[in-house]
Amino acid sequence: MTDINIEIQKAYEVIQNGGIILYPTDTVWGIGCDATNAEAVAKIYALKKREESKSMIVLMNGEKMMYNVFKDIPDVAWEIIDLSEKPTTLILDNPKNVASNIIAEDKTLGIRIVKEPFCFKLMERMKKPLVSTSANISGMFTPKSFKEIDPEIIKGVDYVVNLHQDKICDKPSTIIKLSLDHQVKIIRK
């Protein structure tokens, strides 16, 4: 059995050096990097063959990190986070302190608070949010398990986390857009 702390250390070193990782999340396998490093974010767009106008989500490990990225967080965001039984991505307005090429054209950013131990502890180490985008070439299906990930993606990252490679996940997160003008829109159930 692989030691989670060793994997966190290896992933952390790669991310600190501007690299990108392939890692298990609380939903599907993700490609990630330091959400404040625009060059690393650009590497993910290139690997996924994705236009930079299509934003990616960012994982966070709690309230402190959220307030570092958003000055104003609607109260309903905390209610949704507390009440959600499954992983839920919130799209919020006017992020700051993250790479500009991860922010959507409408000045929003999708974020998800994670409980998954690897992601949570890695961000504790980084003290920064972690980019998370599905481990596929843009437009292709989202892999439900590690063995479904395209070899081009595996070869294209700087490190593959050696945890949960047998886990099957067929459910991406729920996505809810919360505007500062109190509008709530469910994008994906």
Side-chain angles (χ1 to χ4, degrees):
M1 173 118 178
T2 311
D3 182 345
I4 186 171
N5 295 320
I6 293 170
E7 290 302 310
I8 289 165
Q9 181 59 31
K10 288 177 180 174
Y12 174 75
E13 287 169 10
V14 167
I15 287 169
Q16 285 297 98
N17 291 315
I20 62 177
I21 64 169
L22 181 61
Y23 66 103
T25 73
D26 49 350
T27 59
V28 296
W29 273 78
I31 305 170
C33 68
D34 171 352
T36 67
N37 182 331
E39 284 174 31
V41 170
K43 287 183 196 173
I44 294 177
Y45 281 117
L47 177 60
K48 283 184 67 90
K49 301 180 176 135
R50 184 174 185 170
E51 299 162 50
E52 290 208 9
S53 61
K54 294 204 183 272
S55 59
M56 296 183 278
I57 74 157
V58 171
L59 301 181
M60 299 189 180
N61 67 359
E63 206 172 306
K64 186 175 175 198
M65 204 172 272
M66 276 186 67
Y67 279 114
N68 191 38
V69 176
F70 298 98
K71 188 172 146 252
D72 299 306
I73 301 171
D75 289 341
V76 70
W78 301 114
E79 291 173 40
I80 291 169
I81 289 166
D82 289 342
L83 298 172
S84 293
E85 289 176 20
K86 66 179 201 165
T88 300
T89 299
L90 300 177
I91 300 173
L92 301 173
D93 290 332
N94 304 323
K96 61 185 177 34
N97 301 329
V98 291
S100 61
N101 56 344
I102 202 165
I103 299 170
E105 287 172 346
D106 65 355
K107 302 282 180 268
T108 60
L109 180 65
I111 63 100
R112 190 165 77 238
I113 301 265
V114 292
K115 296 177 175 80
E116 196 283 322
F118 171 79
C119 296
F120 188 90
K121 289 179 175 171
L122 177 59
M123 285 184 280
E124 247 178 9
R125 216 35 230 283
M126 293 166 56
K127 299 188 178 17
K128 293 177 187 167
L130 181 66
V131 170
S132 183
T133 181
S134 55
N136 60 338
I137 305 289
S138 199
M140 305 300 277
F141 77 98
T142 300
K144 293 177 176 27
S145 67
F146 181 78
K147 64 176 180 282
E148 289 183 0
I149 298 171
D150 187 316
E152 191 178 338
I153 296 284
I154 294 171
K155 282 196 291 265
V157 297
D158 299 301
Y159 186 67
V160 176
V161 173
N162 188 14
L163 293 168
H164 310 302
Q165 293 190 356
D166 49 358
K167 182 179 131 185
I168 307 280
C169 183
D170 54 1
K171 281 271 194 261
S173 66
T174 297
I175 301 178
I176 302 173
K177 185 171 186 172
L178 302 175
S179 307
L180 286 174
D181 61 5
H182 305 296
Q183 290 187 36
V184 176
K185 186 176 175 190
I186 295 176
I187 312 266
R188 179 171 70 198
K189 279 195 170 169

